[in-house]
Structures are given as structure tokens and as C-alpha cells.
Amino acid sequence: MTTLSPSLFLLFLLPWAVMPVVAVIPRPNAPVELREVPSPDLEPDSALLDVELSEVCGTDVYLQQGRLEGVPYPLVPGHVSVGRLRKTRGTLLDVEGRVFREGDRVTFLDVHRTCNACWYCLVAKATTRCPKRKVYGITYGLDDGLCGGWAEQIYLKPGTRCIMAGADPETFMAGGCALPTALHAVERADIAIGDTVLVLGSGPVGINSIILSLLRGALRVLCIGAPALRLTAAAEAGAGDVLNFEEYDERERLEWILERTNGRGADATIEATGAPDAVVQAMRFTRDAGRVVVVGQYTDHGPTSAEAAFNPHLDLNKKHLDVRGCWGSDFSHFYRSVQLTSDPVRSAPWVALKSKLSRYSLTEAN
Ligand SMILES: [Zn+2]
Ligand SMILES: [Zn+2]
């Protein structure tokens, strides 16, 4: 019905699936193929999950195109998934100390093996930069086991952080991986009560950033993005005003922002576009002494163009800007994302987004 990703795989499971089917990217730029692989023997404190829903996000497209470094092909994509515990071995506990039982519907943090022993984990307290970190569906390949969500089953290795999924897992999946990513971004942006926030990009991270900026108390959120369909979704998510960047050049976009901010620029800007030039524009569209968070450059799209060349004096120093990168998300962002989308009142924006998702079966992976 719409091109608004993330999209969902809706899987109809065979309860006797002893050779679960997985969708594999065999190597960069090759079509996805279905394979049957043996169900694993469970190590202590591990589990096997029957997948109900998994996600297709922009990263999966880049994975198919081979644009991320350090990816062990063949790869089963799908890093955010929901399913039911088919089999557990040993004791699996959630963060509250509750025991998971077979049959429970759970989701899990895609980041695994953050070591809690290295300099980044312990001194910098920046676990998303832990060198031991592995991610299901991205840096775990098929050789590491059933480690991706585009599959009938996922092997939850010991130490995987599971959370009870709410009664309506599709609402959580409507946020998808973009929700914890955006939650981390608005946290980095220090959105304050009464702020005017500018979101560049109207993809899933942009739309989740709009919703979460408002939850953090922003007075209003402006969004520059494209195409029109996604800008409609941005407005429905709460953006007070939207602009299609395809129809206006950088100077016109800046004028549009200044007209809406008493000539100053946004208090905080979240860049979620994937276009390097947008990073410099984010700095120019933000008021002096404001905040810029860069969350849209998850894959390497190279340097900015010559026209967008960064001027350290004008774009940063003189503006007294606070510019921050934002890489991935940790358990706290994931946990709070599940809480939000499970709450009868706070989940409303994602309940609305749910209707825009497209659903595919595993056989339609390509
Ligand atoms: Zn570490
Ligand atoms: Zn993703």
C-alpha cells in the first residue's frame, strides 16, 4: 500500500520445522535465496525462537548491495524480530529477573556480546563502540548459526538480551530498528521542553525522531524530506510543517527554516537522511549555540560535495554549535522502545504507523 519502510515479513510457521527455511544473501549483489538449514543444538542458557515478524530496513538493502564493511556473507538479514520461544535450555531471565518460558512471545536486542570489559564499555561508557560487539542479521553470518530474522527460526545465543513483547507485536515492529535508533538520537540532541526541532529526512528514523521529539517536550517539529508520501506520514506523526527538498534548493530551505524560527534556526536538528551534504546543511539550519545530531550516515556515502564543503569558521566555531554523532543503540533504548509501544496511551503514534506497513512472506524476500 505504501513505500514507507520498515516492512514486515509475516511468517506462517510450520510447527514441525526441523529444517527451518532461511532467506540468505549469498554474497553482495546476489539475489536472496531460500535455504533449509539444520536446527541447532542448544548451548546452556540459549533458546530457539519461532519467528513471527522480522523487518526489512534500509540497512538490509545496503547489505544486499555489499555497502557495509565487515559483513560475513552468506548472511541471513533481519536484525529486529519478534517470535515465540520454541525451546529453551537453562534459565533465561529478563532485566527484572523474570524467567522466560517456552511459548513466551519475545523480542531481543540485535546487539550481542557487548563485552563489559573493554575500555569503551567501562571507561567511555559507550557500548555501541565496543569492538567485541556483534549484531544479529548484520555482523553474524550464516556460518555463525541461525542469526537473522528472515527465517523460520532464530538461534538466541547465550547472553542475548530478550524482552517480553507486548500483546501487539506489530505495533513494536511499526517502530522497528528505527525506533531505538531515533530514541538514542533525541537523547543525544538533548531535546528540551519548548524546543523547535528540525528533522532532516522522512524515512523511518526521521519519522520516529518526530514522534520522540514531541514526547520529549518539543514545542514543534519541522521536517524536510521526500517523497510526498513520506512527508504526509511525517505530518501524521506530528510534524507541524514539512518541506519537500526535491522542490527547493539549500538557500530556499534555509529561508523556510528561518521564517519559522524568528530568523534564528532550529534549536536542535536531527539529520536522518543518508546524504552527506545534509550534515553540513543541518549545521547551517540550526541556530547559534544549538545542537545537531548526525544519525543518518550509517553507511559510508563518502564526503560532501564541493558545493556543501564544510566551513569550520562559519558552520561550526562561530556558531558555537554542539554537533554529535549517534551510532546504533543500546539495551536502554531498546527496552524503552518496547515499553513505549506496549503502553496503551503512548503507543498511539506507532499504532497509526502500523497500518502503513507492507507485509511479505519469506518466499517474497527478493
Ligand atoms: Zn566492550
Ligand atoms: Zn535496521
Side-chain angles (χ1 to χ4, degrees), residues 55-60 79-80 110 138 176-178 181 298:
E55 177 196 42
V56 185
C57 87
T59 300
D60 299 313
H79 42 277
V80 174
D110 56 355
I138 299 178
C177 65
T181 305
Y298 188 74

Side-chain angles (χ1 to χ4, degrees), residues 271-310:
E271 180 281 317
T273 68
D277 286 5
V279 174
V280 183
Q281 288 172 23
M283 296 163 77
R284 292 175 185 158
F285 297 166
T286 304
R287 67 162 165 86
D288 290 4
R291 287 98 58 205
V292 174
V293 169
V294 177
V295 68
Q297 310 290 316
Y298 188 74
T299 41
D300 185 356
H301 290 272
T304 59
S305 68
E307 304 87 74
F310 164 65

Side-chain angles (χ1 to χ4, degrees), residues 5 25 55-68 71 73 75 77-79 135 137-138 150 177 181 298-299:
S5 60
I25 302 173
E55 177 196 42
V56 185
C57 87
T59 300
D60 299 313
V61 177
Y62 293 134
L63 287 167
Q64 195 274 333
Q65 296 169 349
R67 295 178 69 161
L68 269 79
V71 175
Y73 297 92
L75 179 83
H79 42 277
V135 185
I138 299 178
W150 298 13
C177 65
T181 305
Y298 188 74
T299 41

